[in-house]
Amino acid sequence: MTKRIITALILSSCLQPIFAQKKWTETTNGTFNIIKNQGGQTLGYSPNSGIKVLTVNGLAFKDLNKNGKLDKFEDWRLPIDARAKDLASKLTIQEIAGLMLYSSHQSLPARAGGYFAGTYNGKPFKEGEIDPSDLTDQQKLFLKDDNLRHVLLTTVQSPEVAAKWNNKLQAYCESVGNGIPANNSTDPRHGTKAKAEYDAASGGEISMWPSSLGMAATFKPELVEKFGQVAAAEYRALGITTALSPQVDIATEPRWSRFNGTFGESPALSAEMAQAYCNGFQTSLGKKEIANGWGLGSVNAMVKHWPGGGAGEAGRDAHYANGKFAVYPGNNFDAHLIPFINGAFKLKGKTGMASAVMPYYTISWNQDKKNGENVANNYNKYIINDLLRTKYGYDGVVCTDWLVTGDHKAMDVFIDGKSWGVEKLSLAERHYKVLMAGVDQYGGNNDAKPVIEAYQMGVKEHGEAKMRARMEQSAVRLLRNIFRVGVFENPYLNVEETKATVGNPAFMKAGYDAQLQSVVMLKNQSSTLPITTKKTVYVPKRFVPASRNFLGMESPASTDYPVSIDIVKKYYNVTDNADEADFALVFIQNPSATIGYDKEDLKNGGNGYIPISLQYGDYTATEARETSIAGGDPMENFTNRSYKNKTAKTPNITDMTLVTETKEKMKGKPVIVSVNTTNPMIFSEIEKNASALLLSFGVQDQAILEIVAGKSEPAALLPMQMPADMITVEKQAEDVPYDLKCYKDSEGNAYDFGFGMNWKGIIKDERTVKFKK
């Protein structure tokens, strides 16, 4: 054997193990590269972000901070806490301040003007000229200059646009600083389009489910867990890794405008629904799990609103200064904690507890047992630090509700700053008070400056070491939630997979099935329902009064069919002549209440406060409190918010007259009334004119028709009581469930919590036993 051959053999044997050490492969789709580690994490990175790939022991890692070495936080083999602590220790105070920001609402594309406005290279969005998936000027600014990494998404033009925007966003984040990916979030986005037709063979924009109140009406936590799994899959396909939900406040005040977002008034039912919801969202299954139930299928659940926002005095909501106080005349504060401490904080799944919590805007009146402070819960050290952190041991992220540090300028504006109880503090002082109360994050704030100022205040009071430790504590919590969902390794989306996932037929079917299970039958006189043969139906047109939404956008008055007549025709013959009809089907909404405040009353010498009514007819509050429990605002020179003897008018009183007029037109023939509701309501005005009553909570009209036609049997139960009248509403305690005198109908049935009917009569099953009052 020659010397050259021997040398070649030696070199070959030496080099072979080196080549064998590489345990990863790389592919590209033009937008981002994907690296698959043998037996390890899959990495995704943008080739234009400046990221380099490090090979250690044959495995690939992303050099996110571009320092040429593998840091602990970049090592996907290490426990999440070790990675989070390492990165937090490396961040500047400015970078930690950016992590503590949660963006204002971002729509895709940005609107040309108004609340969600944005620009693209200085120009407003124009269809056909600007790519809706591009980043706005404002987004680039807060991502780079303010180090913001938590982005709240609202409307998106399509799943495809959302996926492309996500990829551009993540590439931009990867290119600056330490390469920390964005943690995108959303408020609930699985509501229904009432007139949309369901087709089992086709998909949609996103699966459609009943409201939380509707899911509560099923009394089936397993259905809510299924929703969480489906919604999480759709969220991840849209690039969303945090859900600003579930809302688990027990709805003990029937007039509250956010009643519809809750699981009703039962602490026990709300706790089980909260538990199921968080399990469904947070738990990754199979190959998607990375560790401890977390992984590529997980979505952080931000449970809200600690310690419960369902006890607003007289039903007013704390988005407005006129509704800033939660009151506890029944001394029942602790019951409002049950859905948190027995539900969201005690999950049956591996993730253990909801990873984030949002306190509400309210001042929980006289509930600070340590300092006696009446300040908004976001600012209250007793509520956050002593109760949530210390007594209940919660170490997840606490994020304020949106705009709590903003300036208060109006009593009745939804997007007013909500610094309740600390209105006279400066912007920086408010941020400091929130920080020292134990909160980690500021909702709706894109600007790091006041956070940095708050830190500097703390340095003067406590010293740099203590304040650095306090900031790092929040940074670790915030980073932990980003590491858990795997986006440090791969934040990029395959657009085709997104299009195939969001609103796919299986998900649409699951949502539709849930809708069918959420409809409550309250009355079925002489077994009017089901109507199984193709008879002739009269569907009266419904008048909708002019309205204005919470952002001030106006909708004109209209009169039209309240349901798709084409869908009705698939079940019955349709006529506009009541004389020709076999039965009538009337679609209405529950009485639409005001916010309990009226500038006209103020102009006429009143205090501005008026009743919130749950009935269609005019309501005069003769039994209201003489003196409100709570009161006080810098814009008011009084503290008594009583509205006693004032009258409230309901804008959609025409829904009541529609039922009455239809009853007259039908001349004794059956009148079926379908009510879509968001709150408890007074049924005495319409029930006597209905042969059958169906109650729904945000479902497609087709689901109602399926039940009317007998293709699906009603199975839902009331998740709240229906009051007999407004006097019982005035006399109940805002903080106590089940304290209403319930309405009793012409059949002798009381519309109480847990009541519902099927074709055989009143439902009594394991659900009514388990969740009885």
Side-chain angles (χ1 to χ4, degrees):
M1 186 179 289
T2 65
K3 193 172 183 179
R4 183 178 293 176
I5 293 172
I6 292 171
T7 303
L9 287 171
I10 292 170
L11 283 171
S12 175
S13 64
C14 290
L15 289 173
Q16 195 169 355
I18 295 173
F19 287 124
Q21 284 178 1
K22 184 177 177 181
K23 301 172 185 176
W24 55 272
T25 57
E26 183 169 6
T27 58
T28 181
N29 72 352
T31 303
F32 56 90
N33 293 5
I34 292 292
I35 292 174
K36 292 189 176 179
N37 280 297
Q38 240 179 342
Q41 294 291 314
T42 295
L43 313 182
Y45 74 97
S46 167
N48 302 317
S49 67
I51 290 288
K52 302 296 182 186
V53 177
L54 304 172
T55 301
V56 178
N57 295 331
L59 298 171
F61 302 85
K62 290 159 66 174
D63 184 13
L64 289 164
N65 61 3
K66 309 173 186 70
N67 67 354
K69 66 177 185 179
L70 181 64
D71 294 283
K72 285 183 180 179
F73 82 90
E74 297 164 336
D75 189 343
W76 45 260
R77 299 168 300 180
L78 295 177
I80 283 167
D81 271 13
R83 298 178 71 187
K85 288 174 182 175
D86 178 63
L87 180 51
S89 71
K90 289 176 166 60
L91 298 179
T92 66
I93 290 300
Q94 288 75 18
E95 289 170 322
I96 294 176
L99 268 183
M100 297 176 81
L101 303 177
Y102 222 125
S103 84
S104 58
H105 301 69
Q106 306 294 306
S107 56
L108 307 181
R111 298 186 183 188
Y115 188 44
F116 303 137
T119 56
Y120 301 82
N121 294 321
K123 297 179 180 179
F125 177 77
K126 191 171 183 180
E127 192 70 52
E129 293 184 9
I130 295 172
D131 186 340
S133 70
D134 282 351
L135 300 185
T136 65
D137 302 327
Q138 293 75 18
Q139 289 163 0
K140 291 175 184 176
L141 183 68
F142 64 58
L143 291 167
K144 185 177 181 182
D145 292 3
D146 293 288
N147 298 294
L148 184 149
R149 288 298 180 273
H150 293 79
V151 182
L152 173 57
L153 282 180
T154 55
T155 56
V156 297
Q157 191 177 84
S158 68
E160 181 178 0
V161 165
K164 290 179 177 178
W165 176 84
N166 171 81
N167 291 346
K168 292 176 182 178
L169 172 78
Q170 299 293 9
Y172 190 82
C173 290
E174 202 170 64
S175 71
V176 296
N178 289 281
I180 299 172
N183 178 3
N184 300 325
S185 69
T186 180
D187 282 307
R189 58 192 315 121
H190 282 84
T192 61
K193 294 180 180 177
K195 292 187 179 183
E197 182 176 5
Y198 171 70
D199 179 355
S202 67
E205 293 176 4
I206 196 166
S207 61
M208 294 190 289
W209 298 70
S211 68
S212 292
L213 196 56
M215 286 192 276
T218 70
F219 279 56
K220 293 181 178 179
E222 65 274 15
L223 181 147
V224 174
E225 184 158 358
K226 174 66 175 177
F227 163 72
Q229 293 166 349
V230 169
E234 292 182 310
Y235 279 12
R236 290 304 301 259
L238 293 168
I240 293 166
T241 46
T242 291
L244 302 187
S245 56
Q247 183 190 339
V248 302
D249 317 76
I250 54 170
T252 50
E253 169 46 63
R255 295 164 288 190
W256 188 33
S257 62
R258 300 202 69 181
F259 201 112
N260 196 42
T262 75
F263 292 118
E265 67 181 299
S266 164
L269 179 61
S270 296
E272 288 216 20
M273 293 301 193
Q275 194 176 65
Y277 192 109
C278 295
N279 272 332
F281 267 93
Q282 291 190 168
T283 307
S284 286
L285 302 171
K287 293 181 179 179
K288 289 191 174 183
E289 183 180 0
I290 295 173
N292 303 316
W294 290 101
L296 306 178
S298 299
V299 172
N300 292 289
M302 185 180 289
V303 62
K304 55 191 186 184
H305 302 91
W306 177 265
E313 184 163 18
R316 294 185 296 268
D317 180 60
H319 277 88
Y320 305 93
N322 59 67
K324 64 167 69 170
F325 300 107
V327 294
Y328 302 88
N331 195 28
N332 202 38
F333 176 85
D334 288 348
H336 291 256
L337 307 182
I338 290 171
F340 297 91
I341 62 177
N342 292 345
F345 299 168
K346 284 186 179 178
L347 304 186
K348 296 176 182 176
K350 292 182 184 178
T351 62
M353 64 170 59
S355 67
V357 172
M358 183 188 294
Y360 204 38
Y361 300 115
T362 44
I363 296 172
S364 292
W365 187 251
N366 290 341
Q367 297 306 305
D368 184 339
K369 306 304 182 187
K370 186 175 182 180
N371 307 306
E373 270 199 307
N374 276 315
V375 295
N377 292 324
N378 298 277
Y379 292 93
N380 194 302
K381 191 171 184 178
Y382 172 77
I383 296 288
I384 304 301
N385 186 66
D386 294 12
L387 276 186
L388 180 61
R389 296 288 193 202
T390 304
K391 183 174 181 178
Y392 296 110
Y394 186 77
D395 192 40
V397 167
V398 177
C399 176
T400 74
D401 214 328
W402 264 234
L403 297 177
V404 303
T405 56
D407 291 335
H408 166 40
K409 300 175 182 177
M411 295 299 298
D412 60 346
V413 175
F414 186 87
I415 55 173
D416 184 40
K418 306 172 201 309
S419 48
W420 310 145
V422 296
E423 294 94 342
K424 294 180 181 179
L425 296 183
S426 70
L427 185 62
E429 287 170 338
R430 291 177 206 147
H431 280 76
Y432 181 51
K433 189 168 179 64
V434 166
L435 179 66
M436 300 315 288
V439 175
D440 304 299
Q441 203 163 26
Y442 302 90
N445 182 7
N446 301 352
D447 185 0
K449 293 188 201 67
V451 185
I452 296 167
E453 288 181 55
Y455 166 77
Q456 291 165 346
M457 286 179 180
V459 170
K460 287 180 182 177
E461 185 175 350
H462 301 290
E464 189 169 355
K466 182 173 180 179
M467 284 310 295
R468 171 76 202 190
R470 173 66 191 89
M471 296 289 277
E472 279 194 34
Q473 183 184 44
S474 286
V476 169
R477 291 170 180 150
L478 291 160
L479 290 167
R480 185 191 291 148
N481 286 1
I482 308 178
F483 278 114
R484 280 170 164 169
V485 294
V487 289
F488 264 94
E489 276 58 70
N490 182 21
Y492 296 97
L493 300 173
N494 180 308
V495 176
E496 293 307 312
E497 288 180 9
T498 291
K499 289 159 66 176
T501 300
V502 180
N504 71 48
F507 291 172
M508 297 298 288
K509 184 179 187 305
Y512 187 68
D513 287 346
Q515 292 179 48
L516 292 171
Q517 295 179 64
S518 74
V519 178
V520 181
M521 184 165 70
L522 294 173
K523 181 179 180 181
N524 194 20
Q525 189 178 54
S526 304
S527 298
T528 299
L529 296 178
I531 299 174
T532 55
T533 56
K534 197 166 185 179
K535 293 187 175 181
T536 300
V537 64
Y538 168 62
V539 181
K541 290 183 177 179
R542 176 175 178 259
F543 172 75
V544 179
S547 62
R548 188 189 302 258
N549 73 5
F550 68 94
L551 292 176
M553 298 175 178
E554 295 184 356
S555 295
S558 63
T559 301
D560 201 355
Y561 289 112
V563 61
S564 167
I565 292 298
D566 287 338
I567 294 178
V568 178
K569 287 178 178 177
K570 294 188 175 184
Y571 296 84
Y572 303 106
N573 301 313
V574 177
T575 180
D576 285 330
N577 185 347
D579 290 335
E580 297 175 354
D582 297 304
F583 71 101
L585 185 52
V586 185
F587 288 85
I588 59 174
Q589 302 285 332
N590 64 297
S592 55
T594 67
I595 63 170
Y597 190 82
D598 183 32
K599 286 182 179 176
E600 287 301 314
D601 179 75
L602 203 60
K603 289 177 184 176
N604 294 327
N607 62 2
Y609 292 87
I610 61 172
I612 295 175
S613 177
L614 300 180
Q615 66 183 40
Y616 293 106
D618 293 355
Y619 165 62
T620 301
T622 57
E623 302 299 318
R625 292 185 183 113
E626 291 276 3
T627 304
S628 63
I629 293 174
D633 188 274
M635 297 186 71
E636 296 177 337
N637 60 3
F638 56 86
T639 57
N640 186 6
R641 295 181 162 197
S642 176
Y643 49 85
K644 187 176 175 67
N645 294 322
K646 292 182 183 177
T647 299
K649 294 181 178 293
T650 301
N652 65 326
I653 187 174
T654 47
D655 279 357
M656 177 183 71
T657 56
L658 184 65
V659 175
T660 305
E661 290 170 358
T662 303
K663 172 74 171 177
E664 291 171 356
K665 288 180 180 179
M666 292 303 292
K667 300 172 183 174
K669 291 180 286 186
V671 176
I672 299 161
V673 178
S674 174
V675 185
N676 178 53
T677 193
T678 59
N679 286 78
M681 57 180 282
I682 310 299
F683 273 95
S684 58
E685 299 168 303
I686 62 170
E687 178 269 323
K688 60 182 178 295
N689 291 320
S691 310
L693 264 175
L694 296 173
L695 192 70
S696 61
F697 309 91
V699 302
Q700 290 168 260
D701 297 326
Q702 188 174 352
I704 302 296
L705 286 158
E706 289 278 292
I707 289 173
V708 172
K711 296 181 182 295
S712 180
E713 184 171 12
L717 308 168
L718 285 177
M720 73 286 209
Q721 295 181 314
M722 292 296 174
D725 49 42
M726 282 303 298
I727 292 176
T728 189
V729 173
E730 294 291 0
K731 296 298 183 183
Q732 55 93 37
E734 284 92 338
D735 59 322
V736 177
Y738 319 131
D739 63 342
L740 293 171
K741 176 186 174 184
C742 295
Y743 178 71
K744 185 173 283 190
D745 70 10
S746 56
E747 303 293 289
N749 294 321
Y751 293 176
D752 204 346
F753 175 85
F755 173 75
M757 301 180 72
N758 56 22
W759 304 143
K760 294 177 183 177
I762 297 172
I763 298 171
K764 291 184 179 179
D765 57 22
E766 68 280 358
R767 297 173 300 162
T768 58
V769 173
K770 181 178 182 181
F771 294 111
K772 63 184 177 183
K773 292 192 296 180

